[in-house]
Amino acid sequence: MQLQTMAAQKLSPAAPPADAAIAIDDVTLRFVTPDGHMMTAIRDFTMTVARGEFACVVGPTGCGKSTTLNLVTGLLRPTTGNVRVMGNPVTDISRDIGFVFQVDALFPWRSVIDNVAAGPLYRGTPKAEAYDKARDWIARVGLARFEKHYPHQLSGGMRKRVALAQTFINQPKILLMDEPFSALDMQTRTAMQDELLGLWSELKSSVVFVTHDLEEAVALADKVYVLTAGPGTVKSVYRIDLPRPRVMADIRYDPKFIEIAKVIWNDLREEVQLGQSRGLQTGH
Amino acid sequence: MQLQTMAAQKLSPAAPPADAAIAIDDVTLRFVTPDGHMMTAIRDFTMTVARGEFACVVGPTGCGKSTTLNLVTGLLRPTTGNVRVMGNPVTDISRDIGFVFQVDALFPWRSVIDNVAAGPLYRGTPKAEAYDKARDWIARVGLARFEKHYPHQLSGGMRKRVALAQTFINQPKILLMDEPFSALDMQTRTAMQDELLGLWSELKSSVVFVTHDLEEAVALADKVYVLTAGPGTVKSVYRIDLPRPRVMADIRYDPKFIEIAKVIWNDLREEVQLGQSRGLQTGH
Amino acid sequence: TGATAASAADKITIIVGGMEKQIYLPAVLTQQLGYFKDEGLDVELVNSRAGVEAENELLAGAVQGVVGFYDHTVDLQSKGKYIQSIVQFSQAPGEVELVSAKHPEIKSPADFKGATLGVTGLGSSTDFLTQYLAVRNGLKPGDYTLLPVGAGNTFIAAVKQDQIQAGMTTEPTIAQLLKTGEASVLVDMRTPEKTKEALGGDYPAASFYVQSSWVEGHKDEAQKLANAFVKTMKFIASHSAEEIADKMPKDYYAGNKDLYIQGLAGGKAMFTPDGRMPADGPETVLKVLSTFSKSLQGKQIDLSKTFTTEFVDAAK
Amino acid sequence: MTAISPAADKAATRETSIAIAEARARARLRRRHALVIGLRLAILVIFLGLWELGADYNIIDPFFFASPSGIFEQIWSWITEGTSQGPLWLQIYVTLEETFLGFVIGALGGIAAGIILGRNRLLADVFSIYIKIANSVPRVVLGSVFIIALGLGMASKVALAVVMVFFVVFANAFQGVREADRAMIANAQILGASPFQITRTVIIPSAMSWILASLHVSFGFALVGAVVGEFLGAKQGMGLLISTAQGAFNANGVFAAMIILAVMALVVEFIITRFENYVVKWRPAPFNEQGA
Amino acid sequence: MTAISPAADKAATRETSIAIAEARARARLRRRHALVIGLRLAILVIFLGLWELGADYNIIDPFFFASPSGIFEQIWSWITEGTSQGPLWLQIYVTLEETFLGFVIGALGGIAAGIILGRNRLLADVFSIYIKIANSVPRVVLGSVFIIALGLGMASKVALAVVMVFFVVFANAFQGVREADRAMIANAQILGASPFQITRTVIIPSAMSWILASLHVSFGFALVGAVVGEFLGAKQGMGLLISTAQGAFNANGVFAAMIILAVMALVVEFIITRFENYVVKWRPAPFNEQGA
Ligand SMILES: Nc1ncnc2c1ncn2[C@@H]1O[C@H](COP(=O)(O)OP(=O)(O)OP(=O)(O)O)[C@@H](O)[C@H]1O
Ligand SMILES: Nc1ncnc2c1ncn2[C@@H]1O[C@H](COP(=O)(O)OP(=O)(O)OP(=O)(O)O)[C@@H](O)[C@H]1O
Ligand SMILES: [Mg+2]
Ligand SMILES: [Mg+2]
């Protein structure tokens, strides 16, 4: 274990402990490509998120970040290796997880409020209570005026915020988020980040957060996973020791923050360039 | 016309000249809301993009940026006011335009290469030539290895890059892009930006580029439109006089760049906060 | 003549209103015996369960002849369409009024009061005959209910389920119901004698008819057809039921050959020995029809135009 | 001299021009509606006119194909004098009742089977082959089998209507279930939905347009089933009316009954469309039709 | 002593374990396939067994409902000795030819009409009401009309099969066209597609699963149409075979003919499924079935 700076420790990936919230142990996952061959999406992948930990995942596009999250939810099964959530092997799609999809997964036939109330209703909360909660969460994501709108009547960013409210309302102990804020403007994004951190510290959830924005990753995380270009595997893991609570609007100006970001950035850049040159190998 | 800095001039919106590439003149657009009322999406909107000009549009989420682009393509019709493209009123969906949609609009039953070759094939290019061109563009967006894949076998960022290649291959004289790079990592994004600027200067296209990333806007644009929170209208217009050609990897460290970004940022922040408080008015 | 030469090669299509039905047996039998070929005719038999279809085809000129019930010639004349029977297959309807074993109290048509009577279809010959039987036995229309149940299986099911107390049907349904003992014969109209008893005259039923206008231009073919059919009628008259059944395609008695033969033996008497129209037959038919058929009421029917014995007379 | 602030002035003009634009849009809609009705009527009139003329000049033989005037007379006499089987409305009622029962049972059965098999891969693999087999059975044969098994009463007609409806609805419901967006199902599952809740709140709404499409066509089929059943044996109903008319070479009667059936179908069609509009009101309008 | 680099070692174990995992997955697939076939056969055997037993003990009256052994004998005798109308394969061929023609014409017509009306709002508004009317016409009645108009030959059976197929396919094609994703259509339009190109490259592929769903069910319908047509009048074909068997109280014959029809339907069904798999091979597998 090599100490990089005061705040960012580079960790060596190790076999996950049994009581971790999320433990991905030496997983390889292959897809069948259109021409019938196998394509390895992720390879020898090991990742541990302790209970109450906030992990961010960064890596070049197509390196397998979404695939990793799908493994945790049980939507995908590993070809080899195994995945445990709260100590139990993942056998089915889990209800204890909150998952903000990268793609749009709102129910188009439900209005905003019905979409947000879906989770509590599914889980048996009485109707009135579920709608009260939903109304509260819609307000928190700034869509109070749009309660009755259907998803197609919203802008891209607004739909994403509905998806956030839909997930947050369930107060999941494990929270997976796939580029949740990339469609939001800086100000809304900051507000959402604060909302997320608030929820996280309140519930002591374990979070896996995928983003392309390294600064966002560093600002939010306890631990940052840097993935290699596809087939993805963990290149390095950094522990971020910035003090909590963090205020999103200010943290970017913290010198320690800037230093950590630079270290990881150099690490990541190398990988991204590699991915680029691989992807481009037959290009100009 | 008030001079703000050496590089960023704040312009007063004026009635568009007749020969502009895109001229949106005093447009108001209303939607019917679910409860049967009318909702104004954009109001008294005036915007001009000269031939060969690169315009960026920034504004809080839901302020009407996508709606504006849809007006230019002819997908939406203004309630009042009028929209002209290359001097002619927009009556139908135009074929002279390139449009990168905010949502996924790839053809799921076509492989990557078939998706990218679609434009040339539609326009009557011989098959062999169209596929050669497509192969070239796929390589340029770094997906050479994925030619035969279907969209659902790609990651989010890869799909976006296919959409970019699909649009770029047509070499449109008018190019509309709705948050095209938000799903890409920094490095890929920079490469795509360079690709875009190259195409633009080569074709002398007129570009309208919607983004949430103000730095991206300033780095790319001749002119930045800042919109107000919904119902959207133009708050201010800035002319960016940074020298061309610009190199995306370096421009962020240019002091002039930083200065301009700060000025516009302050302007925008005000607006975003307003939008937030409006959206949150019934919230906590 | 030139007409003969030209028409000899022509195909003649004849519709049979149920090739497997015993009442129409002469049609297929002629084919099986090769009598058409002997006459140098190229005859094609087409099956059609619904009589109306057959008549419509005939009138539309798509086929040259139909094997069906004689009463249609009368009915159609009332609508201004002229067709005529040129060979008469049967002089009795071949129908039997069966009464369900569950209703021994019905001993004659006079007991039909309040009963539901099965007929194959409304407006069909069974409809008119049933009503005629009832009225002849002193009932009024309205004293009984008619229920169209079709023929065959559905008829049997209707008897079993007691949806009809009595009903009129033909072979082999009759034989089937008699065998199982679920019904017994109330009025038998399979032989000329019993028919006279029941209806007061001969009732010509199965016949071969063509459009009157066709006869004009095709005397030669008409004659040959008549020759073939008359030969068949003679064959029937001179052979036993077993011998006839052996000539028929196996599928027609696949259900039960003994039953088929039994039915044929019981019903063989209805066939005319020579294809000739029984003298009082047409009047009986007109009498029955005009009592009940709405379309005939108030119409003047020229019975001489509904049949001709010209060809059977000339047949060797 | 009154001072008007330019902003207020501006807002006022905007409001007026929007009002004008909206009025214009409404007028356009009204005109279009009138056009549609006009065209429909024009087609009807031309069609009937040609038919009548053809019948008059014997190009179309009214003995086989009836004539509009004859059909009208026939309907009129049925209305005023009743049919040979009793009043016309009773025939309509009987057929409608059979059709409706058959439609409801067949549709519910088809939807249920489609959803169950669509949701369960193994069941689908095992049973769909038998459904295919059942679908190839000729309905007329089935008709006599039903009469034997269920008697000549209403049950056999209803059963025949059911088998006409079932397969169409089943095929669509099954495919509709399979087409449901996988991300959406996954989302519901993760949000905590039980399999039953997923079926109710995700699968059924997304299969709804599939099911509705099949309902549109299958009411007509239910009608056909009921009529065929009556054809094979009945005391009352439109099918018997047709069969009697056919037996009497009454082409006008046959066509008149078919027209009455068509009107019945249209009325129900109208109700289904109403229901459809209510159910899918969340659906985005195509581009170009949505701005006001 | 040989030195093995740990990396190579690691890679080697990975490859082995993947190979094992894949072999296991393949075995699982094979087992599942065997299970499906086994269950299908089990159901068939149980069904036939109960039927035969029922017939033997007269619980199911074989006079009306035949018995499996009797049906088998009948089929065997048809195969070896031919039917009363000629060899069995000729009957099958005739019916298949009518069905196939009717299916193709009806399906193409339905698809064409569905696409044209689905793409053109005005045409849809004007004509769909007439299509609804046409769909409510009982097919048996239509059958007689066709026989009058087209004669007793193949044409009338084909026409009957066409009208059985047309409406189902039309309804689905129409709705499928309307369901096409508006963003995708807009994208094609902007990429330069003409309306015809849009129809060919966007509308038809997205309506494809709708159309295919309707084809699955409508081949059975075409078969029914052809058989009903033969019922009404024919000199060859399976319908005539059924009709003769019915007339001769030969329940075994009726059911035997129906089983032959079912086999025909299954063969075509198999071909359609093949075609479907080829056409929609781009389709994502549901989650949980895609990783290898
Ligand atoms: N169903 C599939 N079939 C084949 N390959 C697939 C499939 N799904 C994903 N892949 C491949 O797996 C790799 C990883 O995809 P994934 O979506 O996890 O990337 P990602 O890291 O989330 O990228 P992004 O940042 O662009 O969202 C990609 O190369 C993709 O092409
Ligand atoms: N079909 C519709 N019906 C009703 N309202 C709509 C419809 N489409 C868009 N809107 C409304 O119009 C406004 C502008 O939407 P638009 O998509 O243009 O926003 P945007 O600026 O692109 O936002 P984002 O940055 O989130 O993409 C939003 O308030 C949205 O709710
Ligand atoms: Mg992803
Ligand atoms: Mg937008």
Side-chain angles (χ1 to χ4, degrees), chain A residues 26 28 30 38 43-44 74-77 79-80 93, chain E residues 10 14-15 17-18 21-22 182 287-288 290-292:
Chain A
D26 199 26
T28 297
R30 292 175 143 206
M38 306 298 289
R43 167 170 58 84
D44 304 339
L75 289 173
L76 287 176
R77 298 284 161 78
T79 310
T80 65
I93 293 163
Chain E
K10 171 100 209 217
R14 185 175 60 230
E15 284 312 314
S17 59
I18 287 176
E22 281 170 3
R182 56 190 199 136
F287 281 118
N288 280 331
Q290 61 184 186

Side-chain angles (χ1 to χ4, degrees), chain D residues 103-126:
Chain D
F103 176 65
V104 169
I105 297 172
L108 289 182
I111 293 170
I115 289 173
I116 293 168
L117 264 61
R119 292 281 281 156
N120 187 318
R121 195 67 191 264
L122 185 65
L123 285 182
D125 283 345
V126 173

Side-chain angles (χ1 to χ4, degrees), chain D residues 19-75:
Chain D
I20 292 170
E22 282 170 1
R24 218 176 278 146
R26 269 196 304 276
R28 215 170 28 238
L29 269 184
R30 261 201 313 277
R31 266 202 311 278
R32 191 165 183 294
H33 193 69
L35 175 70
V36 167
I37 300 284
L39 283 175
R40 281 184 186 171
L41 282 179
I43 290 174
L44 188 68
V45 167
I46 291 175
F47 178 73
L48 291 181
L50 286 179
W51 186 359
E52 183 71 47
L53 276 179
D56 283 357
Y57 290 98
N58 244 311
I59 306 168
I60 303 166
D61 188 345
F63 179 78
F64 294 131
F65 300 108
S67 74
S69 55
I71 294 171
F72 179 78
E73 272 167 35
Q74 177 69 74
I75 294 179

Side-chain angles (χ1 to χ4, degrees), chain B residues 7 218-219 221-222 240-244 246 251 254 256-257 260:
Chain B
V218 173
D222 291 326
I240 314 293
D241 279 338
L242 295 173
R244 303 248 181 210
R246 302 178 190 165
I251 197 162
D254 187 324
K256 248 161 89 183
F257 171 92
I260 299 170

Side-chain angles (χ1 to χ4, degrees), chain D residues 145-192:
Chain D
V145 173
F146 284 149
I147 288 184
I148 296 166
L150 302 171
L152 277 163
M154 183 177 278
S156 57
K157 283 94 194 170
V158 171
L160 209 50
V162 167
V163 294
M164 292 294 295
V165 170
F166 176 84
F167 296 99
V168 183
V169 176
F170 167 78
N172 267 24
F174 179 74
Q175 192 60 24
V177 168
R178 302 216 123 189
E179 297 276 320
D181 187 65
R182 57 190 197 136
M184 233 179 285
I185 297 173
N187 192 17
Q189 221 162 344
I190 287 168
L191 287 175

